Amino acid sequence: MPLAYFGLDAIFNRKERPLPPPPAGPGKLVLSEAEWRKRLTPLEFGITRKGGTEIAYTGRYWNTHDHGVYHCVGCGAVLFRSDEKFDSGTGWPSFWAPATADAVYTRADNSLIEHRTEVLCARCDAHLGHVFNDGPQPTGLRYCMNSAALRLVV
């Protein structure tokens, strides 16, 4: 498959994805591209700041069963807990709910042929992954995240 299918063109070719301005609010972390590049590894930058996607079964947390809290790799905000993590069989870490209702926000993503819903960190607007309506109860949601966007604290 072409790299663009996985969003890897954003990592390897540094193509800019047009993004709307981030929502303003108290506690928002806004950095320049140069500052983000200093703070993040090239993979983390490509995923969180350019909207890339890891190849399935390659991220550090897809098969992790450790108990703890998943934080945003960019700003350290608490995003997900291991108590809501489940094996989705997709090769990405998946959760049926965020840690708190205001930890993440979503927006429409029509960058591929199909419509998807993108999930972003509410504090720093990092691209985390996508949410789908095929998860387990009690929410029926599957927050399919990129390991490179997360940092597990046990």
Side-chain angles (χ1 to χ4, degrees):
M1 284 188 191
L3 292 176
Y5 179 80
F6 297 105
L8 294 177
D9 59 335
I11 296 170
F12 296 110
N13 298 326
R14 302 288 188 230
K15 291 183 180 175
E16 295 291 330
R17 235 178 55 163
L19 299 175
K28 201 66 148 170
L29 178 62
V30 179
L31 300 176
S32 69
E33 183 171 321
E35 291 170 315
W36 282 120
R37 285 186 186 276
K38 285 181 193 173
R39 182 181 282 228
L40 303 169
T41 68
L43 177 63
E44 292 167 347
F45 181 84
I47 300 286
T48 62
R49 307 321 305 175
K50 299 296 182 180
T53 299
E54 298 166 329
I55 296 171
Y57 303 100
T58 64
R60 64 182 170 249
Y61 299 128
W62 77 268
N63 197 28
T64 297
H65 302 287
D66 296 339
H67 289 282
V69 178
Y70 291 85
H71 295 256
C72 176
V73 73
C75 70
V78 172
L79 300 174
F80 297 95
R81 296 181 304 229
S82 60
D83 292 340
E84 288 79 36
K85 189 172 189 274
F86 70 99
D87 182 4
S88 64
T90 62
W92 288 281
S94 297
F95 305 85
W96 51 264
T100 62
D102 60 352
V104 300
Y105 72 97
T106 62
R107 67 179 172 206
D109 177 359
N110 298 308
S111 61
L112 293 178
I113 295 170
E114 65 180 304
H115 168 77
R116 299 178 299 169
T117 302
E118 182 180 17
V119 179
L120 299 102
C121 173
R123 182 163 184 253
C124 72
D125 304 306
H127 167 77
L128 305 172
H130 293 87
V131 63
F132 303 94
N133 292 317
D134 59 1
Q137 293 305 316
T139 64
L141 298 174
R142 173 173 52 97
Y143 286 83
C144 189
M145 303 293 99
N146 289 287
S147 290
L150 306 173
R151 179 111 43 244
L152 175 61
V153 178
V154 293

